[in-house]
Amino acid sequence: MNMKQHFNLSITSPCSEDFENFQATETGGFCSSCQKNVVDFTQMNEEEILQYFKNNTGKTCGKFKPRQLKTYTLSSTPPRRYGLQWIGTGFIGLSLLFANNDSMAQSQSSPPMPVETHSNENTNKSNSEEYSQPTSHTITGQVINEEDREPLPGVSIIVKGTTKGAITDINGRFKMSDIEDGLVLQFSYIGYSTIEHEVSGQSTIDISMEKDQVELMGDVVVEGVYTSKPSFWQRIKRAFQ
C-alpha cells in the first residue's frame, strides 16, 4: 500500500497587482513591486501542481484559478526490498534467454520465403483519390457544466469562420451534419469560457465547460501535510515485495 501525503493550498491575502504587467519568466512573471517571481499555475493540471509542491518546499507566490485551491493527495511508492521475489525474477530472466536463443536458431535454419511483388500503381492511385476527398459526417454530443456535471442547454456551437452552427437542447445535446475533418467548433455560453474543438474523425463530441472565474494571486499557504503510517502487517508485507 502506498504512503499518502495530503496538503491543502490556499491564498489568505490575495495580491492586487496586475499579472499582465509582470515581466515574463520561465514559470510565470516577475513582480517589480514585491520583487518576487509569481508562478502561473492556471495552465497546469493537477498532476503538474502536485509535482511542483513535491519538489519545491520553500515559499511560493502563485496565480491560481479558485478551483485549484483545494486539498491534494500525493501518493509515493516506498522503495522496494528485494527478497524471495529476486529469485523468481532470475528464473524468469533465464527462461526468456533460452527461449530467445531457440527462436533465433530456428529463424537461422529456416530458408527465407520468396516474396511476390505486385504493382502498387492501382493501390496508390486509389489511396491518393481517397485522401484527396474531404471526409464529412454527422456529429452528435453533449455539453455539461464541469463543476456539477449537469447538462447545459442553450450553448451556441459555431463552425469557426462560418455562420453554420447549432444550439444545445434542454439536455445539453446537439447534432450537426456535414462537418468535415479539420474544422474547428466553437462552444460559447454566457458566463463560461469559450472552448474550441478541432474535428478529427469523431462522430461523438462531449464537452465540459467551466465558469469564468477571477484568478487569485498571492503567497501560497501549504498546510495540513501529513504522512499515513503503515501498520505492522503492511510493513511485514513490504519486506517481501
Side-chain angles (χ1 to χ4, degrees), residues 6-198:
H6 306 269
F7 60 91
N8 181 72
L9 300 182
S10 62
I11 295 179
T12 56
S13 300
C15 177
S16 59
E17 296 291 333
D18 187 357
F19 185 83
E20 298 299 326
N21 295 330
F22 292 173
Q23 181 180 355
T25 63
E26 184 177 352
T27 57
F30 183 79
C31 177
S32 57
S33 298
C34 304
Q35 293 295 302
K36 292 181 180 179
N37 178 58
V38 180
V39 180
D40 187 0
F41 292 95
T42 60
Q43 304 302 317
M44 296 187 188
N45 57 36
E46 185 168 318
E47 181 62 27
E48 291 170 335
I49 294 176
L50 286 169
Q51 289 301 319
Y52 177 90
F53 286 99
K54 179 182 178 181
N55 300 325
N56 297 272
T57 56
K59 292 184 178 181
T60 299
C61 187
K63 184 178 74 164
F64 294 84
K65 294 179 180 179
R67 61 182 177 82
Q68 292 177 309
L69 297 173
K70 62 177 183 177
T71 300
Y72 292 84
T73 300
L74 175 63
S75 298
S76 58
T77 305
R80 298 179 65 86
R81 298 181 180 179
Y82 297 96
L84 297 177
Q85 185 179 5
W86 181 88
I87 301 176
T89 304
F91 281 119
I92 294 175
L94 290 174
S95 300
L96 293 176
L97 179 61
F98 286 126
N100 185 45
N101 289 337
D102 291 342
S103 62
M104 290 179 62
Q106 292 179 4
S107 62
Q108 293 176 357
S109 60
S110 301
M113 297 295 293
V115 179
E116 297 182 2
T117 58
H118 298 280
S119 174
N120 294 327
E121 182 178 356
N122 293 333
T123 302
N124 293 335
K125 182 178 179 181
S126 176
N127 289 339
S128 62
E129 291 178 353
E130 179 181 352
Y131 287 117
S132 64
Q133 297 178 356
T135 302
S136 62
H137 43 80
T138 299
I139 293 178
T140 60
Q142 185 181 35
V143 182
I144 62 174
N145 182 357
E146 184 177 287
E147 184 175 359
D148 56 17
R149 316 305 295 177
E150 291 294 325
L152 287 176
V155 175
S156 174
I157 309 167
I158 300 293
V159 177
K160 189 174 182 178
T162 72
T163 57
K164 183 176 182 178
I167 297 178
T168 58
D169 62 17
I170 192 173
N171 296 313
R173 299 190 177 278
F174 67 93
K175 180 178 181 180
M176 301 181 71
S177 303
D178 298 326
I179 302 300
E180 298 178 1
D181 290 345
L183 294 179
V184 176
L185 302 182
Q186 291 181 320
F187 296 80
S188 304
Y189 195 63
I190 297 177
Y192 286 73
S193 300
T194 299
I195 292 179
E196 293 189 354
H197 183 93
E198 182 176 349

Side-chain angles (χ1 to χ4, degrees), residues 226-240:
Y226 70 90
T227 302
S228 59
K229 296 183 179 180
S231 65
F232 172 78
W233 292 110
Q234 290 172 353
R235 294 196 297 270
I236 294 297
K237 182 179 179 181
R238 290 174 185 170
F240 294 95

